[in-house]
Amino acid sequence: METIVIEGQNGNSTIIVDERIEEVAKYLPKKKLFIITDKNVENHYATVFPEAPFFSINPGEASKQLGYIESIYRWLLENNAHRNSFILGIGGGVVCDIAGFVASTYMRGVEFGFVSTSLLSQVDASVGGKNGVDLDGYKNIIGTINQPRFVLCDPRLLKTLPHEELVNGFAEMVKHALISDVKLFEHLEYDCNDLLQLNQRILSSHIAESIRIKARVVTADERESGIRKLLNFGHTWGHAVETLTGISHGKAVSIGMEFACRLSMKKGLISNREYLRVINLLQSFGLPTCMNIEPNKVFNVLEKDKKRNANSIDFVLLRGIGVPKIETMDFEELKKFVQNNNDET
Ligand code: NAD
Ligand code: ZN
């Protein structure tokens, strides 16, 4: 078991890796408890939930709508939740985002924690204190930055996670290695098969490593004014691909990472060999590195990115595996690159 601490402006968050869900009661304060979960997680694990009333959302992003979340506030009110209650989210990134948002806003904020049940949520969504919900198709447009008191990551729970969802998490793990640690990248190359087979010891160690990277970045820059931007590696192009095609987040980010590496290679920042190593690792995890879509169409979506500047956009590139570089890319230059490099992304 390992613990990693994030020091946030509104308090610390302790992430506990390789602890069993059955032990969660140890981490709960002596407060009235309310659980938020989703129907899949409920079906698999309700028998090991701590004793408390729970609200089970329909699984998936559609439940992250601000309108839907009103029903959770009403449920809390009807069940006499008060300022001194504690909200526990048990689920993937959707549940953690909702639970964190509801807890941060109900009665101006009650304490909360997570049992993170998907790989993406263990290594990414439940780490860092961002709690966002969607409005009118805009993802995470309403939200708070507020750290959970604790996050429990039990890798055994991943045995019931659909493979497609597991792969989404691997994309973020590769991203964390690429932006900060060549040794970890080598370990991923070496351990890829064991990770895909859910070898619990190796999985735990990689989850902890990956969380440590995100925790370090977030502790240095909780509000994304500087180095937190590095976490956008692969996401700038990836989000545009996701919006355009509706493919899963991890797959889109994988395509985005290929794009960022190709751009880095074109700029002479990384070698062809390094580029191919990244592609190989992504493909070994079953992630796509190209897709049959018109790159110009992706570019048109990218131009509408909410994080753009007037005539440019900040791109995270690589100067080497594990060595990121934020580069402000002029839209004109980017357009030329997109048009001159392959017909499909
Ligand atoms: P998710 O919560 O929808 O979970 C994916 C699917 O797996 C769901 O159907 C869920 O019911 C199921 N599931 C979860 N755990 C399971 C388990 N142990 N066994 C069986 N089924 C299980 O999606 P996700 O990929 O975990 O998270 C994506 C969400 O996270 C998005 O809404 C995204 O915006 C958000 N996110 C937030 C942050 C942040 O910093 N707050 C960062 C990244 C992503
Ligand atoms: Zn992501």
Side-chain angles (χ1 to χ4, degrees):
M1 200 179 83
E2 290 197 52
T3 56
I4 299 153
V5 176
I6 294 186
E7 290 161 17
Q9 282 174 6
N10 298 338
N12 289 359
S13 178
T14 304
I15 300 160
I16 309 128
V17 183
D18 201 16
E19 173 66 291
R20 293 159 58 83
I21 187 174
E22 289 84 349
E23 302 297 323
V24 67
K26 281 202 305 212
Y27 304 93
L28 293 168
K30 290 201 171 21
K31 290 182 168 185
K32 194 167 175 185
L33 178 67
F34 293 87
I35 294 172
I36 298 174
T37 187
D38 79 19
K39 296 226 159 65
N40 291 334
V41 176
E42 177 195 346
N43 286 342
H44 287 291
Y45 300 107
T47 52
V48 290
F49 283 4
E51 197 52 47
F54 62 81
F55 189 103
S56 198
I57 63 164
N58 291 322
E61 189 71 25
S63 294
K64 245 175 75 172
Q65 283 298 320
L66 192 58
Y68 177 75
I69 283 160
E70 280 182 21
S71 54
I72 306 182
Y73 293 127
R74 284 197 194 95
W75 171 76
L76 287 170
L77 268 173
E78 282 157 14
N79 285 279
N80 302 318
H82 48 70
R83 254 186 220 145
N84 213 22
S85 300
F86 190 90
I87 293 180
L88 179 66
I90 307 182
V94 166
V95 164
C96 292
D97 262 352
I98 292 177
F101 180 76
V102 166
S104 302
T105 47
Y106 181 74
M107 294 198 175
R108 297 197 194 87
V110 300
E111 260 205 303
F112 64 104
F114 301 142
V115 174
S116 206
T117 65
S118 73
L119 183 60
L120 184 129
S121 133
Q122 295 188 349
V123 299
D124 191 2
S126 63
V127 181
K130 281 191 181 177
N131 313 292
V133 298
D134 310 338
L135 179 72
D136 299 342
Y138 293 95
K139 273 195 76 175
N140 302 320
I141 196 84
I142 315 284
T144 61
I145 295 189
N146 196 12
Q147 300 290 342
R149 176 178 171 135
F150 68 81
V151 182
L152 189 152
C153 298
D154 181 351
R156 295 158 200 86
L157 303 178
L158 305 181
K159 285 183 188 155
T160 53
L161 188 68
H163 184 76
E164 168 103 345
E165 302 297 343
L166 194 68
V167 166
N168 281 331
F170 286 133
E172 304 290 353
M173 285 168 77
V174 172
K175 177 193 81 175
H176 286 159
L178 280 173
I179 60 164
S180 80
D181 193 342
V182 65
K183 278 264 165 314
L184 182 59
F185 185 86
E186 281 166 17
H187 291 164
L188 282 172
E189 288 178 319
Y190 187 80
D191 292 333
C192 176
N193 281 337
D194 283 322
L195 289 167
L196 283 164
Q197 307 282 322
L198 297 183
N199 174 314
Q200 293 293 304
R201 185 180 55 80
I202 292 175
L203 197 51
S204 288
S205 131
H206 274 278
I207 290 170
E209 278 304 319
S210 208
I211 292 174
R212 230 175 258 125
I213 291 169
K214 182 157 183 192
R216 208 162 49 221
V217 171
V218 168
T219 299
D221 176 20
E222 196 178 30
R223 306 195 76 85
E224 198 169 324
S225 51
I227 78 161
R228 191 163 181 160
K229 285 189 182 143
L230 297 179
L231 298 171
N232 290 333
F233 179 69
H235 281 60
T236 314
W237 188 258
H239 272 149
V241 170
E242 191 177 349
T243 305
L244 198 63
T245 64
I247 60 169
S248 78
H249 182 69
K251 286 182 177 165
V253 168
S254 178
I255 287 170
M257 289 194 279
E258 184 283 329
F259 182 87
C261 288
R262 188 153 35 99
L263 190 51
S264 307
M265 182 169 67
K266 176 81 181 169
K267 285 179 158 287
L269 297 167
I270 61 168
S271 64
N272 183 252
R273 194 176 157 272
E274 287 171 304
Y275 169 79
L276 290 175
R277 259 182 94 182
V278 176
I279 302 309
N280 269 338
L281 182 61
L282 292 170
Q283 290 179 350
S284 315
F285 277 116
L287 286 158
T289 50
C290 65
M291 202 180 168
N292 192 6
I293 38 169
E294 178 56 58
N296 274 325
K297 286 191 182 158
V298 183
F299 180 80
N300 293 341
V301 178
L302 181 85
E303 274 190 308
K304 300 191 185 82
D305 192 301
K306 64 183 177 200
K307 290 180 181 167
R308 64 169 280 169
N309 316 314
N311 300 311
S312 62
I313 189 158
D314 290 341
F315 241 89
V316 186
L317 300 181
L318 295 183
R319 279 193 287 123
I321 291 176
V323 193
K325 177 178 198 281
I326 298 176
E327 183 120 337
T328 303
M329 295 283 305
D330 215 70
F331 277 119
E332 279 307 308
E333 185 190 355
L334 201 56
K335 193 168 191 171
K336 271 197 202 118
F337 173 77
V338 167
Q339 285 171 345
N340 297 336
N341 276 271
N342 288 347
D343 304 326
E344 27 187 72
T345 185

